[in-house]
């Protein structure tokens, strides 16, 4: 059984280092995309403060389609290049948005979301798997430590799930 416990960390980096270790443990030995995405999403959502959505949008060859997530119901389909998720998928670059209201073309699936970080998930062969999307009801919730931490978490997800 897996038991999430509340910990105190000296820094955000230390917290992400611990999450990376936990993600490796949860995903070890399992290659099923949906099972790993569901557990990964739950781990992050229940471990980091001030989140209101955390989950995956998976690329179906033409657009992003909502996958396993934690939070309120979400937009189902997002075109490449549209909103924060579509921009991350199209550019293949992490999008760190401190204020979603200032992001032109932001798609408001949950009106409570005020900041967002989206990491593109690119397979070793260069093809797009999808994106990892995390929202917060707090403006300026995400910073460069979150970018580094989320990218490290996603690297673990990709190396265990897409081998």
């Amino acid at each position: 059984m897996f038991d999430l416990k509340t910990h105190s960390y000296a820094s955000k980096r230390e917290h992400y280092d611990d999450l990376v270790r936990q993600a490796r443990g949860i995903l070890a030995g399992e290659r099923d995309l949906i099972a790993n995405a569901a557990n990964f999403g739950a781990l992050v959502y229940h471990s980091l403060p001030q989140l209101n959505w955390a989950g995956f949008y998976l690329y179906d060859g033409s657009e992003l389609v909502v996958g396993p997530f934690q939070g309120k119901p979400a937009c189902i389909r997002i075109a490449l290049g549209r909103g924060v998720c579509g921009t991350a998928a199209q550019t293949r670059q992490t999008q760190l948005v401190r204020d979603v209201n200032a992001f032109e073309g932001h798609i408001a699936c949950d009106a409570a979301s005020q900041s967002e970080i989206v990491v593109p998930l690119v397979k070793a062969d260069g093809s797009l798997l999808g994106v990892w999307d995390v929202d917060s009801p707090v403006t300026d919730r995400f910073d460069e430590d979150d970018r580094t931490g989320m990218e490290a978490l996603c690297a673990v997800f990709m190396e265990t799930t897409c081998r």
Side-chain angles (χ1 to χ4, degrees):
M1 178 163 88
F2 192 78
D3 185 25
L4 284 174
K5 294 183 177 158
T6 303
H7 296 282
S8 293
Y9 297 96
S11 68
K12 197 182 280 191
R13 287 182 183 172
E14 182 183 70
H15 192 167
Y16 276 110
D17 288 346
D18 186 44
L19 277 177
V20 164
R21 281 190 294 277
Q22 290 181 59
R24 283 190 195 289
I26 287 175
L27 304 177
E30 182 56 60
R31 298 212 31 206
D32 185 84
L33 174 65
I34 300 303
N36 281 347
N39 273 336
F40 183 91
L43 172 68
V44 174
Y45 185 80
H46 291 286
S47 298
L48 292 174
Q50 300 177 312
L51 304 183
N52 63 321
W53 203 90
F56 292 86
Y57 277 92
L58 303 172
Y59 185 58
D60 72 356
S62 63
E63 62 190 345
L64 298 170
V65 181
V66 71
F69 70 90
Q70 299 282 312
K72 291 182 180 178
C75 301
I76 296 172
R77 296 179 180 276
I78 299 174
L80 295 187
R82 189 154 180 265
V84 182
C85 289
T87 299
Q90 187 174 58
T91 64
R92 309 279 175 98
Q93 295 178 354
T94 298
Q95 300 295 305
L96 192 157
V97 181
R98 295 174 189 272
D99 180 355
V100 297
N101 298 305
F103 188 93
E104 189 172 335
H106 174 255
I107 301 168
C109 295
D110 181 350
S113 294
Q114 297 300 308
S115 58
E116 184 171 9
I117 186 166
V118 180
V119 180
L121 304 172
V122 181
K123 298 178 187 177
D125 67 5
S127 64
L128 182 68
L129 175 67
V131 299
W132 166 245
D133 179 21
V134 183
D135 295 0
S136 173
V138 178
T139 304
D140 285 325
R141 162 61 182 85
F142 303 108
D143 60 19
E144 291 303 318
D145 286 339
D146 293 294
R147 177 192 306 268
T148 301
M150 291 290 183
E151 288 174 348
L153 283 166
C154 288
V156 169
F157 179 81
M158 293 300 289
E159 65 192 41
T160 57
T161 304
C162 297
R163 286 182 270 157

